[in-house]
Amino acid sequence: MIKENQRLLNFSLVILDIIVIAMSLLCSFWIRFDTTLFGPIGGRLGFTSYLLFFTFAVIPVYLILYFAFGLYKPRRTYKNIFSEATQIIKVNIIAFVVLVSILFIINQPNFSRIMLFLLAVFATFFGIIERFIIRSILKNIRINNKNLKHILIVGDNELAYTFARRIKENPYLGFVVSGFLGRSEHVGQEIEGIKIIGSFKDIDRILDENMFDRVVLAIPLKYYYKIDELVESCERVGIKAEIIPDYIRYFPAQPSVDMIEDIPIINIRYVPLDDDFNKFLKYLSDYVISIIAILITSPIMIITAIAIKITSPGPIIFKQERIGHYSKPFMMYKFRSMKVQNPNEEKSEWTTKDDPRKTRVGDFIRRTSIDELPQFFNVLKGDMSVVGPRPERPYFVEQFKETIPKYMVKHQVKPGLTGWAQIHGCRGDTSITQRIKYDIEYVENWHLGLDLAIMIKTALKKNPNAY
């Protein structure tokens, strides 16, 4: 029944995607040709030509890419739309390049490339909205105990019980644990309100008598010799066995799997920005945002520079060595907010709330974060990102990496002007342990939507620890 529902859902998604792409075509055609926004650029073909191209090129290209990027796979385990939204963005960028290439091959110079660009923009926007609505509806259905998948957990240890708890705590997944298989002396007991319905040796009978959608093997390492036998029992009735490795307890974070030939390699930390496409999106957004920010804030920066020069002897820009991406040092720029100091003191002294070293102008620009504006030039240089963990001085990095667990994980991405830790108040003389916790969350859960949310919250929220 579940498989039939999935097939029906996939068919419905294909139809809805075609409708969304058709809507996007109409919107892009209207804006390109029936408004004065772009003017009379190039030649114009009739709507019939665009309709034919849409039918025989646009639709096949989009559907092939949607399948290739896994947009018709079940997504029960995804908490939010962002992973799917990223895939939709990728599809539309590639679709635009492919469709322009097709026009070049068939030698059609009068076909509007601007319209194809608008098509990609609208298809991205409408596609994300469509998937958000569909996923929200499906989550609602599952929360109301419909369209559920039934799971048998093979194991009666803490790992198995923890997995069962996660299933119960997250009804949006649409899973229900129908029973455990465990040691014979435990049969009949209830754990988390779920019964141990048989022992390991009863698996063939249990699978024959019940209809399970998934069988999850969560057994201790000492019983791994039984895995071959358990997998064979599952495959005999056409169910894929899934394994939760007992050594997952040693993983410090969400793992990912790489393949070298036919050998799987488990990476103990997944960093989304290791992906080349994500890296490109991050770089592009940093570049565009930093240029816009420099243009908008240039009057503020000019006034600040003049105020610093008039009120305090010394340079306008303060340069200080910080540790950045992959632990490489770089010179970070700030407006000078303190009196000129001994370089050795700068390296090892932390700024405090009523720091006597601050100038009058410096106190104001630090509280308002104006002193950070020159770091947009660090972003343009590639040393920093707009959003990321704050970079620290080498003196403190050497201290913290020995005393704060996982401190160096933050250096797996570029440092930022603002970050996940900063919007949670972890700035200035605050807990380093708490700051690193937020930094690691950011490193492991990055997506463009998170960056956007952090930027908005940074702009709206006054940080009491900015001094």
Side-chain angles (χ1 to χ4, degrees), residues 166-217:
R166 295 289 183 273
I167 296 297
K168 290 183 73 175
E169 289 165 2
N170 296 282
Y172 77 90
L173 293 168
F175 295 134
V176 59
V177 178
S178 300
F180 292 102
L181 289 188
R183 286 159 287 189
S184 53
E185 61 268 26
H186 293 167
V187 175
Q189 294 180 12
E190 281 196 6
I191 308 293
E192 301 292 329
I194 304 160
K195 219 172 188 183
I196 299 176
I197 58 176
S199 64
F200 295 133
K201 68 177 185 294
D202 297 324
I203 187 168
D204 289 317
R205 177 181 61 79
I206 297 292
L207 292 178
D208 285 334
E209 292 176 359
N210 298 274
M211 292 291 292
F212 297 109
D213 298 291
R214 303 176 76 164
V215 174
V216 175
L217 309 182

Side-chain angles (χ1 to χ4, degrees), residues 4-103:
E4 290 174 8
N5 289 344
Q6 187 62 48
R7 280 195 290 268
L8 179 61
L9 174 62
N10 287 345
F11 178 76
S12 303
L13 280 176
V14 169
I15 299 301
L16 286 171
D17 287 336
I18 292 172
I19 292 169
V20 162
I21 298 164
M23 284 172 52
S24 304
L25 176 76
L26 291 172
C27 289
S28 56
F29 186 88
W30 174 71
I31 287 179
R32 172 62 186 90
F33 296 116
D34 295 336
T35 68
T36 57
L37 193 61
F38 292 97
I41 305 171
R44 172 172 178 171
L45 298 174
F47 182 74
T48 305
S49 299
Y50 287 100
L51 189 60
L52 288 170
F53 188 74
F54 171 79
T55 305
F56 296 106
V58 174
I59 289 297
V61 165
Y62 267 92
L63 292 184
I64 289 168
L65 288 173
Y66 267 52
F67 275 106
F69 279 84
L71 287 166
Y72 296 116
K73 289 181 179 176
R75 287 180 174 258
R76 285 174 181 255
T77 55
Y78 288 74
K79 278 189 176 180
N80 55 51
I81 189 67
F82 291 113
S83 60
E84 202 164 13
T86 302
Q87 297 299 84
I88 291 170
I89 292 168
K90 290 179 183 178
V91 163
N92 280 280
I93 291 172
I94 295 171
F96 174 72
V97 173
V98 170
L99 293 172
V100 169
S101 302
I102 291 172
L103 290 175

